Amino acid sequence: MNPLLAAYGALALGIVSEVIGTSLLPRTEQFTKLGPTAAAITSFIVALFFLSHALKLIPLGVTYAIWCGVGMVLTATVSVLVYRSSFDLPAVLGIILIICGVVMINVFSKSVAH
């Protein structure tokens, strides 16, 4: 398997794990509910494990930018779908700008090893 593909796969798994952990936070009820708390903490540990593997080949700044950008967009999506949150136009435009930034880094930046 291509090592760079494996690094991006690890980054994707880390992002998904982080989004799961973050999405579970409201269900922990300020860490008073044991099941959701344990699941959230486990998700964060798994996320950091995969993030550390992604960092073997992808520079820290690029990895973290992708991690934050994609994580924010996915967490916002979960917020809308699961918790019935709503966003106004500036929030939607901000999310679109985040997506554009992640695409710009991956497609045009020479900092990313392609």
Side-chain angles (χ1 to χ4, degrees):
M1 175 183 272
N2 180 344
L4 189 59
L5 182 61
Y8 275 100
L11 179 56
L13 290 171
I15 291 168
V16 169
S17 297
E18 187 266 335
V19 169
I20 290 169
T22 302
S23 299
L24 286 170
L25 286 176
R27 302 209 189 240
T28 68
E29 296 184 21
Q30 291 74 43
F31 300 109
T32 61
K33 302 288 184 183
L34 181 61
T37 297
I41 291 170
T42 301
S43 295
F44 288 128
I45 290 169
V46 169
L48 291 174
F49 171 80
F50 284 117
L51 177 65
S52 70
H53 282 281
L55 289 171
K56 290 178 183 177
L57 289 176
I58 308 169
L60 175 62
V62 172
T63 300
Y64 196 68
I66 295 168
W67 169 279
C68 290
V70 174
M72 281 189 272
V73 171
L74 290 178
T75 302
T77 302
V78 169
S79 177
V80 168
L81 297 176
V82 175
Y83 296 107
R84 305 291 183 227
S85 299
S86 61
F87 295 107
D88 57 8
L89 182 61
V92 172
L93 292 175
I95 289 170
I96 291 169
L97 288 172
I98 290 168
I99 294 168
C100 290
V102 171
V103 169
M104 175 121 14
I105 288 170
N106 280 289
V107 175
F108 299 109
S109 175
K110 293 191 184 342
S111 299
V112 180
H114 292 284

